[in-house]
Amino acid sequence: MNADKRTEEEEIKKILEEENVKKALLETGTSKKTFPSARREILLLVGYTALIIIVAGLLYFLLESGNLPISQAYLPIAKKLILGSVLITTVLFLNSLLRKILKRKIDDKASAYNFRSLINFVSFFLIVLIVISLVFSNWYATLVSFGVISLILGLALQNPLTSLFGWVYLLLRKPYEVGDRIKIGTVYGDVMNVGYFDTTLWEFRGDYLSGDHPSGRIIKYANSRIFSEYVVNYSWPLFPFIWNEVKFYVSYDSDFDFISLLVTDIAEKELGEAMMRRVKRLKTILADSMIQELEIKEKPSVIFTANNNTWIEVTVRFLVEPKNSGPTKSLLFTHIMKELKKHPQKVIFPNSNQ
C-alpha cells in the first residue's frame, strides 16, 4: 500500500514538473531531456561567422588605408556594403545560435515551434532595418517617408496586419498550439501549423462525418479570426480529457440495477485502470487550484432518463482523451451491446421479442 502511494506521489510530481501544466495552474490561480552536445555544429557556426567578420574587417581597413584600387566615388557605398554584411551576418549567427539552443533546451514541440517563428520574424525585421538604415542616410526624411508609407500600407493591408497581430497574440496568450485539437467557429481540427498570417488545421468531423474522425481535408484560416471567434481547446494540459457518452434504449420492464452494474463494469474494463489513475492524479493536482470545486468523476457513470417514446434512455458517460474519443466510443458501445444481449430476461431492447 505504501509502495503504491509513493508511486502515485512520484507520478503526480512528474506531472507538476511539466511546463505546460505549470502554466495552466497559473491560469487557475519537465524535467528537460539531456540532448547530445552540438558543440561541433556551434564551433563551425562560430568559425564561419568569425571568418566573415575578419574578412570584412580586413577589407574595411584596406579601404580606409587606400590600398584597394577603388574610386573615391564608390568608397562610401563599399563601406556600407561591408558594414551591412557584418551586421547581417551577426543577426544570422544569433538566429542560428538561438535556434540550436532552443532545440537542446525545449522539449515541448509546440513551444519550440513558436520560439523559432518568433526568432525568424525578429531576425527578418532587424535585417530589413539594417538595409533601410544603410540605403537611406537622412534618418529624418527616412522616418517621415516610412511613416507615410506605413499609413498607406496599413490601410491597404489591414487584414494581413490584423492576422500578424493575431499571430503575436497566439504566441503570447497561447489559446492553442501546434498539436492541439480545437474548434474555432464551426471548424474542428488538429493544429498542424501556426504561421505568421494563417493557421492550418487537419480537419475532423466536417461535412461528411458525424463522429470524431479525421475528414482528410486541410483547413486554413486567417489568424485574425482569433479576435472574433470563440476557441474551444480540447487539449488543456491540466486536464487533457473530455466527457463523452454512449446512449441506447431499454424497456421499462428491464432490470435497471443489473444494467447499471454490468455497464459500469464493462466501461471500467474498457477504459482501464491506467485511465482512472491518471484522472485521480489530476484531481489531486486540481485540489490545490482555484477550480477544486469542479466535479470530476474518474469512473464511468450510468444515467437513466424517461423518454417520450415510452422507452428508457440509458446514457453511459465516461472520460476519454479527445483524440481517442471516436474509437473508444465505438468499442465501448459494441462491447456493451454484446454483453447486454446475453441477458434478454433482464435487458429488454426496443422491438425485441418478449
Side-chain angles (χ1 to χ4, degrees), residues 8-9 17 42 55 59 88 93 115 129 183 217 219 232 257 291 309:
E8 288 297 312
E9 290 175 351
E17 287 175 353
I42 294 176
V55 171
L59 288 173
I88 291 173
F93 165 73
F115 277 115
L129 194 63
K183 174 188 175 185
R217 302 192 301 185
I219 295 177
V232 180
D257 290 334
I291 58 173
N309 62 7

Side-chain angles (χ1 to χ4, degrees), residues 30-36 103-107 109:
T30 56
S31 60
K32 301 285 192 296
K33 294 180 182 177
T34 303
F35 287 91
K103 184 178 179 181
R104 295 175 58 192
K105 297 296 183 181
I106 298 181
D107 294 336
K109 291 182 179 179

Side-chain angles (χ1 to χ4, degrees), residues 27-274:
E27 290 179 357
T28 69
T30 56
S31 60
K32 301 285 192 296
K33 294 180 182 177
T34 303
F35 287 91
S37 174
R39 185 178 300 175
R40 184 172 178 274
E41 292 182 6
I42 294 176
L43 287 175
L44 286 172
L45 181 63
V46 171
Y48 289 137
T49 305
L51 180 62
I52 292 172
I53 292 175
I54 289 170
V55 171
L58 181 60
L59 288 173
Y60 194 88
F61 173 76
L62 292 174
L63 285 173
E64 282 288 332
S65 61
N67 292 325
L68 284 179
I70 185 171
S71 172
Q72 289 293 322
Y74 298 107
L75 193 61
I77 297 175
K79 289 181 178 180
K80 284 184 177 182
L81 289 174
I82 293 171
L83 180 60
S85 65
V86 170
L87 293 175
I88 291 173
T89 299
T90 303
V91 171
L92 294 176
F93 165 73
L94 292 175
N95 177 292
S96 299
L97 184 63
L98 286 173
R99 292 179 64 177
K100 290 183 183 300
I101 291 173
L102 287 174
K103 184 178 179 181
R104 295 175 58 192
K105 297 296 183 181
I106 298 181
D107 294 336
D108 183 52
K109 291 182 179 179
S111 297
Y113 175 87
N114 289 337
F115 277 115
R116 283 197 305 270
S117 298
L118 183 60
I119 290 169
N120 289 337
F121 179 75
V122 172
S123 299
F124 174 77
F125 178 78
L126 289 174
I127 290 172
V128 170
L129 194 63
I130 290 168
V131 171
I132 290 174
S133 64
L134 292 175
V135 171
F136 299 99
S137 300
N138 190 334
W139 269 94
Y140 179 76
T142 302
L143 289 175
V144 172
S145 301
F146 186 71
V148 174
I149 293 172
S150 297
L151 180 61
I152 296 171
L153 290 177
L155 294 173
L157 304 174
Q158 184 176 358
N159 289 333
L161 287 175
T162 305
S163 292
L164 184 62
F165 286 123
W167 171 74
V168 175
Y169 176 84
L170 289 171
L171 288 184
L172 296 177
R173 295 296 298 161
K174 295 184 178 179
Y176 58 79
E177 297 180 288
V178 173
D180 287 354
R181 174 160 289 189
I182 68 168
K183 174 188 175 185
I184 179 167
T186 58
V187 174
Y188 297 79
D190 297 328
V191 181
M192 297 174 59
N193 178 50
V194 180
Y196 299 124
F197 299 103
D198 56 39
T199 296
T200 305
L201 295 184
W202 174 250
E203 186 191 39
F204 69 98
R205 297 188 187 178
D207 298 331
Y208 309 106
L209 295 172
S210 58
D212 294 334
H213 298 277
S215 69
R217 302 192 301 185
I218 300 297
I219 295 177
K220 282 184 177 287
Y221 61 87
N223 291 334
S224 57
R225 288 190 66 184
I226 197 71
F227 298 121
S228 59
E229 300 277 7
Y230 289 108
V231 176
V232 180
N233 195 324
Y234 296 75
S235 307
W236 191 38
L238 200 56
F239 193 76
F241 309 105
I242 59 171
W243 276 273
N244 208 333
E245 296 178 341
V246 168
K247 295 183 179 182
F248 57 93
Y249 293 94
V250 296
S251 166
Y252 277 87
D253 298 325
S254 300
D255 188 336
F256 299 149
D257 290 334
F258 174 78
I259 293 173
S260 180
L261 290 172
L262 182 60
V263 169
T264 302
D265 183 60
I266 294 170
E268 288 181 5
K269 288 179 180 177
E270 287 294 339
L271 298 174
E273 284 292 327

